[in-house]
Amino acid sequence: MGFGYNEFDTGFGMGFQLFDVMFFLIFFLILGMFLFMIVKGLSTWNKNNHSPRLTVDATVVAKRTDVTHHHGNDMATHSTWYYATFQVESGDRMEFAVDGMEYGMLAEGDIGKLSFQGTRYLSFERERLSD
């Protein structure tokens, strides 16, 4: 038959074309987001590396955690991120991600020397209280 009829065409040809287009759109959207996150991370890393290392007087004003849960088929995992907020003499506050051990050693109200580089936390050295 010369009218463009294909004996294997079941009427779903348009549906499969739409699926193909949607599949590639979603694939490239996810790929684009992944690449954006990599570029953003590298940009932050580079900016921190080019920032001066500063040590300032600061007070620990807050601590918080961020726990995420991931549930799989037969498995559940969680991740915990630790953050500490410091207030410097000017009244400005800065929040830094810290590791779990450092988080445990910090207490709200601690006064000392905060060392950081850009958005990267380096250390906090508590002032010794005189007896």
Side-chain angles (χ1 to χ4, degrees):
M1 305 184 98
F3 299 105
Y5 175 77
N6 182 345
E7 61 189 74
F8 298 108
D9 188 4
T10 59
F12 295 110
M14 185 64 168
F16 285 121
Q17 289 175 354
L18 182 61
F19 174 79
D20 291 342
V21 169
M22 291 300 293
F23 175 81
F24 284 108
L25 281 175
I26 291 172
F27 173 78
F28 286 115
L29 178 67
I30 292 171
L31 180 64
M33 289 177 11
F34 183 70
L35 290 173
F36 173 77
M37 291 176 67
I38 289 173
V39 168
K40 184 177 176 187
L42 289 172
S43 173
T44 301
W45 175 81
N46 188 45
K47 182 180 176 192
N48 284 341
N49 284 346
H50 287 91
S51 296
R53 290 178 182 235
L54 300 174
T55 299
V56 296
D57 292 328
T59 303
V60 179
V61 293
K63 293 171 36 173
R64 72 178 179 92
T65 58
D66 182 20
V67 180
T68 57
H69 300 277
H70 306 280
H71 300 281
N73 294 335
D74 292 331
M75 195 168 84
T77 61
H78 73 277
S79 299
T80 305
W81 298 91
Y82 301 95
Y83 299 92
T85 302
F86 299 89
Q87 183 169 320
V88 297
E89 289 178 326
S90 67
D92 292 334
R93 293 184 176 202
M94 296 179 280
E95 183 179 65
F96 295 98
V98 298
D99 66 35
M101 183 169 279
E102 188 78 22
Y103 179 86
M105 298 298 290
L106 294 172
E108 290 183 15
D110 281 350
I111 297 171
K113 300 283 186 187
L114 169 67
S115 296
F116 63 98
Q117 185 178 21
T119 60
R120 183 183 300 143
Y121 172 85
L122 299 175
S123 67
F124 181 75
E125 186 176 326
R126 242 170 254 90
E127 283 184 5
R128 301 237 185 252
L129 298 176
S130 58
D131 294 324

